[in-house]
Amino acid sequence: MKFTQFNEEYNRLYKEEDSLYHRLARHFHLSSSAFWVLYTLEAAQKPLTQTELCGLLCFSKQTIHSALKQLEREGCLRLSGGSGRNKNIHLTEAGLDLAARTVRPVLRMEELAFLDMTGEDRERLLTLHRQRMELLLHYAEPLFHSSQEE
């Protein structure tokens, strides 16, 4: 397989997966960022800070902040302890109910897909994805250090 064919198919699959989660968020009447915040809090099964959410989701602080404010206005979460981005984010009863109707079925969908794969295939998928990420980061370094002037 040539690089152009591989790259086209890999990117198509990546975008298809991204589109699936975007469609799920919309189906549940959530913004994508609110969906991912709710998903991450539900999956963690413990309070997280805004800084932790930013790190886990690879979203900007502004994006996370907007999603948190939206969910807080809707009574789905509350903040406690610490200051600023170090406050713990808890799902309220309304947030737990929303998670039960939205992200829990998605987590179950992911678990079923996981269970349908062999243990070897699961390991191979993670190993190859990790290897590709390491290589991309390695080859990205010179780009980060190059000048953007023409």
Side-chain angles (χ1 to χ4, degrees):
M1 175 181 290
K2 293 182 179 183
F3 169 71
T4 54
Q5 294 167 310
F6 168 84
N7 205 41
E8 184 178 295
E9 180 63 6
Y10 187 90
N11 286 323
R12 187 191 67 73
L13 289 169
Y14 175 84
K15 290 172 186 167
E16 188 176 341
E17 183 176 2
D18 189 52
S19 176
L20 169 63
Y21 286 95
H22 182 74
R23 285 175 50 211
L24 287 164
R26 289 288 175 225
H27 172 76
F28 296 124
H29 307 289
L30 295 166
S31 68
S32 287
S33 54
F35 171 86
W36 283 114
V37 165
L38 193 62
Y39 176 101
T40 305
L41 289 168
E42 176 65 19
Q45 290 292 298
K46 65 178 185 174
L48 298 171
T49 65
Q50 183 174 341
T51 301
E52 290 171 320
L53 284 170
C54 288
L56 290 167
L57 292 170
C58 298
F59 285 167
S60 71
K61 292 174 188 173
Q62 185 177 11
T63 299
I64 295 295
H65 181 75
S66 296
L68 292 175
K69 287 298 171 195
Q70 174 191 346
L71 291 167
E72 190 176 26
R73 275 192 308 272
E74 294 169 2
C76 294
L77 58 85
R78 65 180 173 77
L79 307 175
S80 71
S83 63
R85 292 180 181 92
N86 293 321
K87 289 184 180 176
N88 288 319
I89 301 160
H90 305 264
L91 291 175
T92 62
E93 283 301 314
L96 291 169
D97 289 344
L98 180 61
R101 294 190 318 271
T102 59
V103 296
R104 265 190 229 150
V106 173
L107 285 162
R108 180 64 180 149
M109 169 196 82
E110 292 172 334
E111 183 180 16
L112 291 171
F114 169 84
L115 292 171
D116 279 349
M117 297 174 74
T118 66
E120 184 179 301
D121 284 345
R122 294 175 204 149
E123 288 297 321
R124 220 174 23 235
L125 178 63
L126 289 177
T127 298
L128 290 172
H129 194 75
R130 196 175 297 115
Q131 178 185 9
R132 183 171 187 273
M133 236 5 261
E134 289 170 4
L135 289 167
L136 287 171
L137 289 167
H138 170 76
Y139 289 112
E141 273 308 306
L143 297 175
F144 291 132
H145 297 295
S146 66
S147 173
Q148 293 301 304
E149 296 179 20
E150 293 182 34

